[in-house]
Amino acid sequence: MKIQILKGDITKIETEAIVNAANSSLLGGGGVDGAIHRAGGIAILDDCMKIRSRQGKCEVGEAVITTAGNLPSNYVIHTVGPVWNGGTKGEPEKLHACYVNSLKLAEEHNIKSLAFPNISTGIYGYPKDLAAKVAWEAVNGYHSEIIEKVIFVCFDDENYHLYSSLK
Ligand code: AR6
């Protein structure tokens, strides 16, 4: 599995799937979630609502998959990161689970390439340096026969520099 680091907007990335840093409602929000729903259009929300009526909300650390609507990718994997609450409320384990469960779901759909945003490091307030380590360990430590490429898409300079120094 090749790991790449890019600086940019995840809605422009052409991997088979992109990952969304969603919230448990799955009904959209700000940050990267807002950008993905805006660029992908109503088809994403329609799929999210179907998932809601099937299983209810999405728990922290879990992941679900929808169409990508008008985006260049085929799928959006929505995962719910933890809100930072000092670091002793299971935040690292939950963040790790976001990455691993997204990778598992990608494999189930035979997805060979996917792109992650820096989950929880915006509105949810997870310290960027700690989140980058968790993300890197989770993805780098995951061995897949199916996934060929993972891109970490960093939107801000701080995350881009942190990821670049981890690699
Ligand atoms: N492409 C890539 N990364 C982005 C983009 C983009 N277009 N826009 C922002 N980021 P956040 P969270 C980065 O706040 O902390 C939403 O309202 C941003 O710089 O989007 O997991 C949800 O509905 C940051 O590094 O997600 C939830 O309620 C990273 O994406 C809540 O925010 C994550 O920031 C989730 O909070």
Side-chain angles (χ1 to χ4, degrees):
M1 213 165 73
K2 196 173 127 198
I3 303 180
Q4 248 182 293
I5 293 155
L6 281 185
K7 184 160 184 295
D9 177 352
I10 203 165
T11 65
K12 307 277 196 284
I13 302 288
E14 297 185 1
T15 44
E16 272 182 72
I18 63 168
V19 177
N20 181 19
N23 61 61
S24 291
S25 82
L26 296 175
L27 300 180
V32 69
D33 194 8
I36 287 172
H37 278 275
R38 267 196 307 281
I42 195 74
I44 299 178
L45 187 61
D46 281 348
D47 272 6
C48 285
M49 286 164 86
K50 283 181 199 143
I51 293 166
R52 288 261 320 194
S53 41
R54 225 173 31 237
Q55 69 164 53
K57 63 181 187 152
C58 183
E59 299 296 338
V60 176
E62 298 294 321
V64 299
I65 190 164
T66 68
T67 178
N70 302 326
L71 292 169
S73 35
N74 298 329
Y75 301 97
V76 176
I77 293 174
H78 306 258
T79 187
V80 183
V83 175
W84 180 258
N85 207 350
T88 56
K89 304 282 192 303
E91 293 94 329
E93 293 76 13
K94 287 174 189 159
L95 187 61
H96 192 273
C98 287
Y99 286 94
V100 169
N101 286 328
S102 297
L103 291 164
K104 281 187 188 158
L105 197 52
E107 286 186 318
E108 286 167 22
H109 291 262
N110 207 28
I111 289 166
K112 295 185 175 54
S113 59
L114 77 163
F116 282 102
N118 309 131
I119 301 164
S120 283
T121 67
I123 295 162
Y124 282 178
Y126 206 117
K128 289 177 182 173
D129 54 341
L130 302 181
K133 280 186 194 142
V134 172
W136 181 264
E137 275 168 28
V139 173
N140 197 39
Y142 193 92
H143 298 288
S144 177
E145 299 288 321
I146 296 165
I147 303 166
E148 291 163 7
K149 184 167 78 170
V150 173
I151 308 180
F152 285 114
V153 182
C154 304
F155 197 61
D156 53 273
D157 285 333
E158 191 185 347
N159 266 317
Y160 181 68
H161 289 125
L162 281 166
Y163 276 81
S164 303
S165 70
L166 279 175
K167 203 175 176 191

